[in-house]
Amino acid sequence: GPAIDLRLAGRFQRENVLCALGLARALGASTEALAAGIAGLAGLPHRLEELGRFSGRRVIDNGVSTTPDSTLGVLDSVPPDTTLI
């Protein structure tokens, strides 16, 4: 199915899944097995985890970003009215 159907926040996470799927397919995994493997895929705790809205601002926990590159990937994935923790 379309990558947009993945229940993962952030374009970078969908891109990571697509890379993993492509590699698994190249190594011989069937499309059916791959589809079954990602059907229930959900994000990790503290990785673009929605905490709710407070004072009109969307608050997201992204405590696992420990490098500038991972933080930049997240910043490209959230709207301007977001507070990252």
Side-chain angles (χ1 to χ4, degrees):
I4 197 71
D5 289 345
L6 291 170
R7 294 177 306 169
L8 295 172
R11 185 183 74 221
F12 68 95
Q13 291 195 101
R14 288 187 296 277
E15 290 171 350
N16 289 344
V17 169
L18 291 174
C19 287
L21 290 172
L23 180 59
R25 187 70 181 111
L27 293 172
S30 71
T31 55
E32 294 80 13
L34 296 174
I38 64 167
L41 191 61
L44 297 172
H46 310 291
R47 185 60 157 172
L48 286 175
E49 187 176 359
E50 289 278 345
L51 298 180
R53 293 190 85 78
F54 301 90
S55 300
R57 296 191 62 82
R58 182 178 175 197
V59 179
I60 296 177
D61 175 1
N62 196 60
V64 298
S65 282
T66 58
T67 66
D69 285 342
S70 64
T71 301
L72 290 173
V74 169
L75 290 174
D76 286 339
S77 300
V78 296
D81 69 335
T82 302
T83 299
L84 287 178
I85 296 176

